[in-house]
Amino acid sequence: MAACTPQDSPLAETPPRLKGNQVAATGRADQIALGGHGEFFDADMRRIVLTENALIAMQDDLMQRLDMPVAAVDPRIAKLLASQRLSAAERYWLRGAAIRSHLAKRDDKDGQRLALINDLLLQRSGRFRGLLLSDARLARLRELLGLAEVPFIGTNYMLRCHSADVPIPPDFATGGTDWKNQGALVTNLVSPGEYAGVYTFHDPQKRGACVALPRGSGAPGSLMGIICQSATTGAACFWDNKLRSAGPGATAIGWANMTVRICDLQDGDSLRENCTGCHTGNNVYLVMPDDPTWAKLLRRNMVGTDHGNFTLRVKGSTDASSPAGSGSTFRYVPISSQAGWTNTVNQPGCANGCHEGANPNVSAYWDSASPRPSMPPACASGGVNNCYVDPF
């Protein structure tokens, strides 16, 4: 199969900015000497800075090196690749499946090395929106390819969240990612007076929200939690910036001047702290509606022009136990295999409730805050018309 023609080469694009021990991707597959922790490194252990087009160029180069006629490898893949209706993501994954099928027939060290590079290229595609496959298309490709596996890249927890229609968050950084900075909280209930930023992400295919809350200076020990929720199923998923590999006693790895890889983080299946000790109610988010930054999210007056499917509300759920007057009959459902991760029912906290009343843990924070906000958690001055504004 012919590789991209020179005029289509992604290497003509503006080179990315490099920092410290980094090097730009050349588009050659053999530039990758090692992969780990979601990164590529060259032979001098410099981190390779990738773009979406560089990944495609590396795949082109790998196919050229293998001198691989796709039709001879797998006629099913060749037939699919001939279609003019494929998306860039589908074409990328089909070619990856063809390479995998071809290399599976080899039993030499060079073949094993190239197979590893191919798998790394597929894994890294998850960072680029143009190379992501929707659930339905991924399932269809699996069906069509049979044993030519097209894997879901992520942890088992992410897969369960994905299956529950929860948006999967992209890797987090304060710049250069799909996260949007909505500003710092004025009302920080947990640590009054300290910095707590609010970053948002929305998936164009899924109604719901991802919200990240980086706190403190961002140095090691500074917490950064991410919660994503589906509006259609009510399922919600949790991550903290603690390494999965570090076990229950892990400390926060910080978040400033780095990219935090979601696949590396502890989640609702592994966190020692039970997030549902505070996060209860109609939706998973603990917001102060009168805080100007939270108000942006509630009323969709957010940074950026395309808010798409973003909403903090739950429009459907397997749990309809919310009390009358609490804003919604539906309640969010936490995704966790751990005992005790449950969304307990709390009565409405005030007449202007945007949300089921705060549980005792959150109310205690409000009682001890100095100065104490005028309205208790989940309540808005001016009535419930100052709660949610969204099109769903």
Side-chain angles (χ1 to χ4, degrees):
M1 182 175 180
C4 288
T5 56
Q7 59 265 34
D8 294 331
S9 173
L11 303 182
E13 65 188 5
T14 303
R17 284 187 172 184
L18 303 178
K19 302 177 183 178
N21 194 32
Q22 296 180 347
V23 62
T26 62
R28 293 173 56 92
D30 63 358
Q31 184 186 18
I32 304 170
L34 182 68
H37 298 287
E39 300 290 359
F40 290 170
F41 300 90
D42 68 7
D44 296 320
M45 286 305 295
R46 296 176 297 180
R47 184 166 72 85
I48 302 170
V49 179
L50 290 169
T51 64
E52 184 173 309
N53 285 333
L55 277 184
I56 296 172
M58 285 178 166
Q59 188 183 66
D60 289 342
D61 182 63
L62 191 55
M63 295 186 75
Q64 279 190 320
R65 288 172 186 276
L66 293 172
D67 191 22
M68 197 180 80
V70 176
V73 174
D74 194 319
R76 299 167 301 169
I77 297 176
K79 183 177 180 180
L80 289 170
L81 283 171
S83 170
Q84 300 301 310
R85 295 183 295 175
L86 290 179
S87 69
E90 289 165 339
R91 189 170 299 279
Y92 182 83
W93 279 90
L94 280 169
R95 286 163 30 123
I99 294 169
R100 175 179 288 186
S101 178
H102 177 75
L103 289 173
K105 301 171 185 176
R106 293 177 52 172
D107 191 28
D108 58 284
K109 287 187 176 180
D110 188 54
Q112 293 172 4
R113 181 181 66 83
L114 295 176
L116 175 61
I117 289 175
N118 182 55
D119 284 348
L120 289 171
L121 293 176
L122 292 176
Q123 290 170 19
R124 281 299 297 272
S125 69
R127 297 194 190 174
F128 300 100
R129 304 301 300 172
L131 297 181
L132 283 177
L133 287 172
S134 68
D135 283 354
R137 301 301 285 176
L138 183 60
R140 180 61 177 153
L141 285 181
R142 281 185 174 139
E143 178 185 342
L144 291 171
L145 295 178
L147 295 178
E149 180 187 6
V150 181
F152 175 89
I153 300 303
T155 63
N156 288 335
Y157 184 79
M158 292 169 70
L159 179 57
R160 290 192 359 252
C161 296
H162 198 58
S163 299
D165 209 38
V166 177
I168 300 301
D171 294 335
F172 179 84
T174 55
T177 69
D178 287 331
W179 289 96
K180 300 296 184 185
N181 183 2
Q182 304 299 336
L185 291 179
V186 176
T187 308
N188 183 348
L189 272 182
V190 177
S191 301
E194 292 189 10
Y195 171 79
V198 176
Y199 286 74
T200 59
F201 164 76
H202 78 270
D203 185 322
Q205 304 300 321
K206 297 182 179 182
R207 292 182 179 179
C210 287
V211 179
L213 202 69
R215 284 160 277 176
S217 68
S222 301
L223 293 174
M224 191 275 295
I226 294 174
I227 300 178
C228 297
Q229 176 183 264
S230 168
T232 54
T233 68
C237 296
F238 304 78
W239 292 267
D240 273 352
N241 60 329
K242 299 176 181 179
L243 291 177
R244 295 164 56 84
S245 58
T251 57
I253 59 174
W255 49 265
N257 303 315
M258 65 179 294
T259 299
V260 179
R261 311 298 178 200
I262 305 301
C263 285
D264 291 340
L265 302 185
Q266 295 188 20
D267 51 44
D269 280 348
S270 54
L271 284 166
R272 181 164 62 181
E273 179 183 9
N274 184 340
C275 297
T276 63
C278 287
H279 290 273
T280 61
N282 311 115
N283 62 64
V284 71
Y285 300 106
L286 298 177
V287 300
M288 302 289 292
D290 286 349
D291 183 281
T293 303
W294 282 133
K296 293 180 186 177
L297 278 59
L298 291 169
R299 297 154 209 172
R300 288 172 57 84
N301 183 28
M302 296 152 59
V303 171
T305 56
D306 177 19
H307 309 321
N309 286 317
F310 185 93
T311 178
L312 299 184
R313 303 179 75 175
V314 169
K315 306 304 176 115
S317 169
T318 56
D319 187 347
S321 60
S322 282
S326 61
S328 171
T329 56
F330 295 116
R331 309 179 77 253
Y332 95 87
V333 178
I335 299 292
S336 176
S337 61
Q338 300 191 75
W341 280 60
T342 57
N343 182 7
T344 57
V345 177
N346 303 294
Q347 295 301 313
C350 65
N352 296 339
C354 299
H355 184 280
E356 194 175 302
N359 68 21
N361 292 330
V362 178
S363 294
Y365 281 123
W366 176 66
D367 288 336
S368 62
S370 179
R372 190 170 76 170
S374 59
M375 296 298 289
C379 298
S381 60
V384 292
N385 59 304
N386 283 333
C387 294
Y388 306 98
V389 176
D390 65 46
F392 306 119

